[in-house]
Amino acid sequence: MWLSGNSIAILAFLTWGLLPLYFQFIPNANVFEILSIRVVFSIPCIYLLLKIMSLPMERIWTAMQNKRVLLICFLAGIFNLTSLYSFTWAVTNGQVLAASLGYFMNPIFSIALGVLFLKDKLSTFQSIAVALSIAGIGCQVIYYGELPWISIIMGGAFALYGLMKKFVDLDALSIMMIELILILPIALCLIMSDLWQQTSVLYSGDNSKILLYLLSAPVTLIPLVLFSLAVEKISLIMIGFIQYIEPSIQFLLAVMIFGEVLLPVKVASFSLIWLGLLLCIADIIVKKRIGPKILRL
């Protein structure tokens, strides 16, 4: 591909960040139907990409004979669906700020999962960042009297999705194909249920709405594929820097385009989490600059 890894990553997160502009045209959507359509239509798209990139399907069939791989990929698919469901529900129900908060929290969840499951060690900056994020969530808990569940589920599920990929030795597109194949029966059951109960968008008679549902498959798949390609080309450090394009765009859309009310408690919550993310970035910069000097000594 003629684009650089950084360019591909920027395109991925720009697309993700702008998705609320698409979903505003289908408010109060049947989220399960949208996700089911996405699964069904994504399989031929991923198959075509595998062929274009000369990645053998035989490797996928071989991997699927391993029960451990099947379990991990199935869990990854469920976590991805959970995150996508939360995101889609949020942006089709006037909760774009909640979607933005969820993806701002995602790196902190990833750090915590790394400590719990991958034996990663928290640096001082990362420890402070986690504490600030907890404080940010705490602000909303105290004000609203409940946890910002949609944001926590969204960010946590996507972090778990990333964790699952650490345990499978396959390229990103092949893992995506296995995930889709494994959750295809669930998607087909949901589609058949909607058709049986005549609650499917197909019974609405609104051709533009039907088209929006169908196009939601490639619209949500494109950034995920771009992200997977970028991960193979550039370091996770760069991915981490570029990632914050997405929730930043969604935050601005929520306030400036969709007119969501930015209460002081949300300003305080976002500010604490932003500060935590800045500390994580500072930590990365310090390690990159000091590391080579230590080696020279």
Side-chain angles (χ1 to χ4, degrees), residues 232-252:
E232 294 180 351
K233 287 177 172 286
I234 61 176
S235 70
L236 289 178
I237 291 174
M238 284 306 302
I239 287 287
F241 278 120
I242 298 170
Q243 176 183 359
Y244 302 124
I245 290 173
E246 175 196 356
S248 298
I249 291 175
Q250 290 171 0
F251 180 88
L252 293 173

Side-chain angles (χ1 to χ4, degrees), residues 38-260:
R38 177 189 177 277
V39 171
V40 172
F41 279 83
S42 292
I43 289 177
C45 293
I46 296 295
Y47 178 79
L48 181 61
L49 284 172
L50 288 168
K51 287 294 184 183
I52 291 173
M53 300 180 70
S54 301
L55 295 171
M57 285 293 294
E58 290 76 12
R59 192 181 180 194
I60 294 175
W61 305 133
T62 301
M64 289 183 68
Q65 294 174 23
N66 186 314
K67 292 181 180 179
R68 178 178 174 274
V69 171
L70 287 177
L71 176 60
I72 293 172
C73 287
F74 177 74
L75 289 174
I78 294 298
F79 288 136
N80 190 31
L81 275 182
T82 302
S83 182
L84 278 172
Y85 177 89
S86 304
F87 171 77
T88 308
W89 183 90
V91 298
T92 57
N93 285 272
Q95 298 289 325
V96 179
L97 271 178
S100 175
L101 177 62
Y103 285 124
F104 271 121
M105 291 162 60
N106 171 251
I108 307 300
F109 284 125
S110 296
I111 290 171
L113 290 174
V115 172
L116 289 172
F117 296 100
L118 303 177
K119 307 302 180 185
D120 292 342
K121 300 295 183 183
L122 282 178
S123 67
T124 301
F125 281 177
Q126 288 173 336
S127 298
I128 296 172
V130 171
L132 287 170
S133 296
I134 293 172
I137 297 170
C139 288
Q140 296 201 35
V141 173
I142 294 170
Y143 184 84
Y144 293 108
E146 61 181 11
L147 288 167
W149 284 112
I150 196 70
S151 303
I152 291 173
I153 291 171
M154 188 187 312
F158 198 71
L160 286 166
Y161 175 63
L163 177 67
M164 291 297 102
K165 290 179 175 289
K166 293 286 188 180
F167 300 109
V168 181
D169 185 23
L170 279 174
D171 62 273
L173 286 179
S174 295
I175 295 175
M176 286 177 63
M177 176 60 93
I178 295 174
E179 292 168 15
L180 291 167
I181 291 171
L182 292 176
I183 60 178
L184 178 62
I186 298 175
L188 291 174
C189 286
L190 290 171
I191 290 173
M192 294 303 295
S193 175
D194 285 334
L195 290 172
W196 178 263
Q197 298 176 45
Q198 298 187 7
T199 57
S200 170
V201 68
L202 296 175
Y203 289 99
S204 68
D206 187 337
N207 291 332
S208 61
K209 189 175 182 180
I210 293 171
L211 182 61
L212 286 168
Y213 268 59
L214 294 175
L215 289 177
S216 67
V219 164
T220 54
L221 181 65
I222 287 170
L224 194 59
V225 170
L226 288 172
F227 170 76
S228 299
L229 295 174
V231 167
E232 294 180 351
K233 287 177 172 286
I234 61 176
S235 70
L236 289 178
I237 291 174
M238 284 306 302
I239 287 287
F241 278 120
I242 298 170
Q243 176 183 359
Y244 302 124
I245 290 173
E246 175 196 356
S248 298
I249 291 175
Q250 290 171 0
F251 180 88
L252 293 173
L253 288 177
V255 176
M256 300 175 67
I257 303 296
F258 300 118
E260 288 193 41

Side-chain angles (χ1 to χ4, degrees), residues 11-30:
L11 281 175
F13 291 115
L14 278 174
T15 307
W16 257 321
L18 293 171
L19 279 181
L21 293 175
Y22 179 87
F23 283 107
Q24 70 171 318
F25 295 109
I26 40 178
N28 302 309
N30 182 339

